[in-house]
Amino acid sequence: DAGVIQSPRHEVTEMGQEVTLRCKPISGHNSLFWYRQTMMRGLELLIYFNNNVPIDDSGMPEDRFSAKMPNASFSTLKIQPSEPRDSAVYFCASSLWGTGNQPQHFGDGTRLSIL
Amino acid sequence: TQLLEQSPQFLSIQEGENLTVYCNSSSVFSSLQWYRQEPGEGPVLLVTVVTGGEVKKLKRLTFQFGDARKDSSLHITAAQPGDTGLYLCAGAPSRFGNEKLTFGTGTRLTIIP
């Protein structure tokens, strides 16, 4: 079975450029999560969706970050304009429904470097 | 804000030794999950513990949930190089709700052959 698929795996771009990260959740999963991981701050939840609707976006750092889920099989996380402090590994995860006891299935991440 | 502190932050031991890592909080969780993350990959779920005092075993790994559901431990017997990775605990505030998981700070484990 296909797991969570993220693209690109690596992205290097200059400060000020727009960055778009993509995620395809596991088919049949109703919840999707975007995380950011750094050495300093660990794994932080940015936003999550249930049935394509954003439920909690309190982790989104600022207005430069936006996320969409136009359908059950696709989500994007956009940073515009990007800054060097946005450099991190960004993970997408999905679960059958919500949080609670549900296991989350993670993609392999996008390693983002902003120069 | 619920916080999960993991200790130790880093641990490097010889193959064949035993070890225990801890996940502690001042908050009560309805359940706690343990994940392992290898370099270049996302975290992978190892186990979920739900009941206070619960003990679950996964081959050489033993997971325990504290009686008060505020802490958990992971014990590895006869560690092997394949156990190397970042171990993350994650607490769920409620069993069926939409409140987000809180991830711990992580323990980076290295097993030396």
Side-chain angles (χ1 to χ4, degrees):
Chain A
D1 288 343
V4 175
I5 299 172
Q6 291 187 246
S7 64
R9 287 298 313 274
H10 302 274
E11 174 90 14
V12 181
T13 191
E14 292 187 345
M15 182 175 66
Q17 297 297 307
E18 178 180 291
V19 173
T20 300
L21 310 182
R22 297 173 176 79
C23 176
K24 177 179 169 56
I26 292 173
S27 177
H29 281 194
N30 296 294
S31 297
L32 182 139
F33 309 82
W34 281 102
Y35 288 91
R36 177 171 68 177
Q37 187 176 42
T38 62
M39 287 295 292
M40 290 297 294
R41 300 174 67 91
L43 195 62
E44 304 174 278
L45 178 68
L46 301 176
I47 185 171
Y48 84 92
F49 298 83
N50 278 351
N51 280 349
N52 315 335
V53 176
I55 301 299
D56 185 343
D57 65 355
S58 60
M60 295 286 264
E62 49 197 273
D63 291 346
R64 297 185 297 107
F65 285 68
S66 62
K68 293 183 179 180
M69 192 165 186
N71 58 63
S73 59
F74 184 67
S75 177
T76 60
L77 177 68
K78 188 173 293 188
I79 308 173
Q80 167 64 21
S82 57
E83 297 182 3
R85 60 191 168 123
D86 302 330
S87 297
V89 181
Y90 290 80
F91 287 102
C92 176
S94 69
S95 71
L96 276 172
W97 178 257
T99 54
N101 292 351
Q102 289 291 324
Q104 295 188 12
H105 300 261
F106 286 77
D108 285 337
T110 295
R111 183 172 294 276
L112 178 64
S113 297
I114 309 297
L115 306 178
Chain B
T1 303
Q2 296 177 307
L3 295 174
L4 277 170
E5 294 287 337
Q6 291 187 242
S7 61
Q9 188 176 357
F10 298 95
L11 182 59
S12 183
I13 64 170
Q14 293 289 135
E15 181 177 358
E17 294 184 356
N18 302 332
L19 67 107
T20 302
V21 298
Y22 300 92
C23 172
N24 295 298
S25 175
S26 58
S27 303
V28 175
F29 292 99
S30 75
S31 67
L32 206 128
Q33 301 173 0
W34 283 92
Y35 291 80
R36 180 170 66 210
Q37 183 179 13
E38 299 187 15
E41 299 181 5
V44 175
L45 181 72
L46 296 174
V47 76
T48 301
V49 285
V50 177
T51 307
E54 181 178 4
V55 176
K56 279 192 173 178
K57 292 193 174 184
L58 188 66
K59 298 183 181 178
R60 295 175 294 98
L61 278 61
T62 302
F63 303 84
Q64 183 162 7
F65 201 10
D67 291 341
R69 305 204 315 275
K70 292 183 179 181
D71 54 81
S72 182
S73 63
L74 159 59
H75 182 79
I76 301 179
T77 303
Q80 298 179 1
D83 297 326
T84 293
L86 176 66
Y87 288 80
L88 295 163
C89 62
S94 60
R95 190 166 296 186
F96 303 109
N98 283 326
E99 297 168 59
K100 61 188 179 183
L101 285 181
T102 298
F103 275 86
T105 49
T107 292
R108 196 166 296 275
L109 175 65
T110 302
I111 307 301
I112 303 165

